Amino acid sequence: MNFEQARFNMIEQQIRTWDVLDQRVLTALANVRREDFVPQRFRELAFADMSLPIGEGEFMMQPKVEARLVQELDLQPNDKVLEVGTGSGYLTALMASLAGYVYSVEIKPQLAESARARLDAQGVSNVTIEVGDASQGWPRHGPYDGIVITGSVPTLADSFKESLATGGRLVAIVGGPPVMEAVLVRRIDETGWSTCSLFDCSIAPLVNAVPEPTFVF
């Protein structure tokens, strides 16, 4: 299989058509070898417009969703980023190529170990992968200029918003099947945030995400 041609086709046919036009993001997509972050048996599907299983019951998002989330974060060279859910490490590598430093937290040790090995093999050095449960936030390295939550959450915990630096951006996919939407949260000042809806999509849930509150009458 011609991986370079497949990568080019992915960018031109999937990514650009989903309004991902930031040249920095497109360059990152061209440079980070997605096929090296999927299980060996799925390498030829690495660029398909679909989510892919990566083991431990987890999935990679569609390439266009990953690219759009990264674009919305508007990462800058000195930014400090939190990724909740390392998964395969591919999104981690994309963000590391754009930001100053990425802290990525993975609840499943085997996935964390595999992702760390892949990132090391790619020469990615500005990433720390930690094993833990960040479903309610991970403030220890904050405040962050960017936060991405890689599994869907029924509601967005306030702790994530509070871990943003002023001017910081957070992207997450909020809701439950079949209705989920990607949102962008920006911290305006010490006590203010803005939230806007980006697009509808559906992805696997984040482990231990707090369920939406129910009311008992």
Side-chain angles (χ1 to χ4, degrees):
M1 179 176 176
N2 186 334
F3 287 115
E4 293 310 317
Q5 185 63 52
R7 193 183 338 275
F8 176 83
N9 292 344
M10 175 190 74
I11 293 170
E12 297 301 315
Q13 298 170 13
Q14 297 177 46
I15 307 300
R16 285 185 182 273
T17 59
W18 243 49
D19 294 327
V20 179
L21 303 174
D22 185 325
Q23 189 55 54
R24 298 173 305 147
V25 176
L26 296 174
T27 299
L29 290 161
N31 291 339
V32 178
R33 296 169 54 86
R34 196 172 200 270
E35 68 274 21
D36 291 343
F37 288 87
V38 305
Q40 181 66 33
R41 65 186 182 279
F42 294 127
R43 275 174 65 88
E44 294 192 358
L45 295 174
F47 307 101
D49 184 17
M50 61 187 293
S51 60
L52 288 174
I54 57 173
E56 301 290 307
E58 299 299 326
F59 293 81
M60 290 178 74
M61 289 182 276
Q62 294 165 273
K64 65 188 182 186
V65 174
E66 294 170 318
R68 185 75 181 276
L69 293 179
V70 171
Q71 177 174 265
E72 297 295 341
L73 279 175
D74 190 26
L75 296 174
Q76 303 301 315
N78 292 322
D79 281 354
K80 179 168 58 175
V81 183
L82 170 67
E83 179 185 35
V84 179
T86 311
S88 70
Y90 175 69
L91 191 63
T92 322
L94 286 178
M95 295 190 297
S97 72
L98 296 165
Y101 206 87
V102 179
Y103 292 96
S104 188
V105 186
E106 174 55 55
I107 196 169
K108 299 182 177 179
Q110 185 172 342
L111 288 182
E113 182 179 348
S114 297
R116 192 178 291 117
R118 293 186 184 108
L119 291 164
D120 287 346
Q122 298 292 321
V124 180
S125 59
N126 57 330
V127 170
T128 293
I129 296 178
E130 297 176 298
V131 176
D133 182 355
S135 61
Q136 306 310 305
W138 199 259
R140 67 178 61 174
H141 305 296
Y144 304 100
D145 303 294
I147 299 175
V148 60
I149 303 173
T150 66
S152 64
V153 293
T155 58
L156 187 60
D158 288 341
S159 54
F160 288 113
K161 298 189 293 184
E162 291 164 358
S163 290
L164 286 173
T166 298
R169 293 81 56 203
L170 178 154
V171 289
I173 295 172
V174 182
V179 182
M180 299 182 192
E181 65 173 357
V183 299
L184 170 65
V185 178
R186 186 182 298 272
R187 186 160 198 169
I188 301 168
D189 53 34
E190 192 66 27
T191 59
W193 296 263
S194 66
T195 303
C196 69
S197 176
L198 299 173
F199 54 87
D200 294 334
C201 70
S202 182
I203 67 170
L206 183 72
V207 176
N208 292 343
V210 172
E212 193 167 3
T214 57
F215 298 94
V216 178
F217 295 95

